[in-house]
Amino acid sequence: MASNKVIHALYTDDDILMNAVKKVRAAHHHIEEVYTPFPVHGLDKAMGLEDTRIAITSFMYGCLGLAVAITMMNYIMIEDWPQDIGGKPSFSYLDNMPAFVPIMFEMTVFFAAHLMVITFYLRSRMWPFKKAENPDKRTTDDHFLMEVGIHDNEDELKQLLLDTGAVEITVTEKEG
């Protein structure tokens, strides 16, 4: 039977937190989550998290935007309503492509940026009216919280966390 108990260790400095994460991982304890008021550079590596593949989706969204731009401009400017603008004949897409480059670039960036925001929110499960999952409100201001799972090692883990510079330690039941 797995335990739902976790220890919440609060820290007041990001450098102390980074050293604590490294020491807790070196002692072979499993860090469930770390809550910080701002992004801490290198924390993902220190926690042993895998690299994200979200950049691949950004590239695919950019390619989709480029395809939409090419299709849209070909249909609007060449097939549907060709016009002689400034002496440029509209007989083929390739003849007019240099004039379409800014639109292709902007649509690529537009699709990549907007779809990445939507993907990030969905991947992070951050939708409207969602209740915050933050276990301590101080982590939105000036404290850092490390959540470590307990597996019949509560006293040893508490001492380790105190030795790493934790200012407060609480044992709680993990929700969910």
Side-chain angles (χ1 to χ4, degrees):
M1 181 172 105
S3 173
N4 286 345
K5 289 173 90 176
V6 291
I7 288 183
H8 289 165
L10 271 166
Y11 297 88
T12 56
D13 185 71
D14 56 330
D15 292 328
I16 296 172
L17 172 75
M18 280 293 287
N19 290 331
V21 166
K22 291 173 185 173
K23 288 178 184 174
V24 169
R25 291 236 329 135
H28 304 292
H29 295 289
H30 178 66
I31 299 172
E32 303 281 340
E33 188 63 75
V34 175
Y35 299 90
T36 64
F38 53 83
V40 178
H41 180 70
L43 185 59
D44 53 339
K45 298 278 190 246
M47 288 179 62
L49 299 178
E50 294 179 13
D51 288 337
T52 179
R53 296 183 307 265
I54 203 160
I56 297 168
T57 60
S58 179
F59 177 75
M60 291 188 313
Y61 295 151
C63 290
L64 176 66
L66 180 63
V68 167
I70 291 170
T71 305
M72 177 187 74
M73 288 181 301
N74 185 56
Y75 177 74
I76 292 171
M77 300 299 290
I78 307 299
E79 294 176 20
D80 184 42
W81 195 356
Q83 299 177 45
D84 187 354
I85 301 172
K88 294 180 181 177
S90 298
F91 300 128
S92 76
Y93 182 82
L94 290 176
D95 290 339
N96 291 302
M97 194 165 72
F100 297 152
V101 167
I103 298 168
M104 293 187 306
F105 172 77
E106 291 299 332
M107 289 291 282
T108 301
V109 172
F110 179 86
F111 269 66
H114 286 80
L115 292 175
M116 279 306 299
V117 168
I118 292 168
T119 300
F120 172 75
Y121 283 137
L122 291 175
R123 179 70 180 92
S124 301
R125 296 186 174 111
M126 292 172 42
W127 33 76
F129 311 110
K130 183 177 188 291
K131 185 180 178 290
E133 296 176 3
N134 204 354
D136 192 317
K137 287 185 178 184
R138 292 177 286 180
T139 60
T140 62
D141 186 23
D142 62 349
H143 281 69
F144 304 84
L145 185 139
M146 183 189 328
E147 184 177 89
V148 184
I150 299 174
H151 304 287
D152 299 326
N153 57 354
E154 185 174 332
D155 294 331
E156 169 199 343
L157 192 51
K158 278 184 181 179
Q159 190 56 48
L160 173 65
L161 293 169
L162 284 171
D163 292 343
T164 61
V167 294
E168 183 180 319
I169 294 178
T170 55
V171 177
T172 184
E173 291 287 325
K174 186 172 183 177
E175 296 177 13

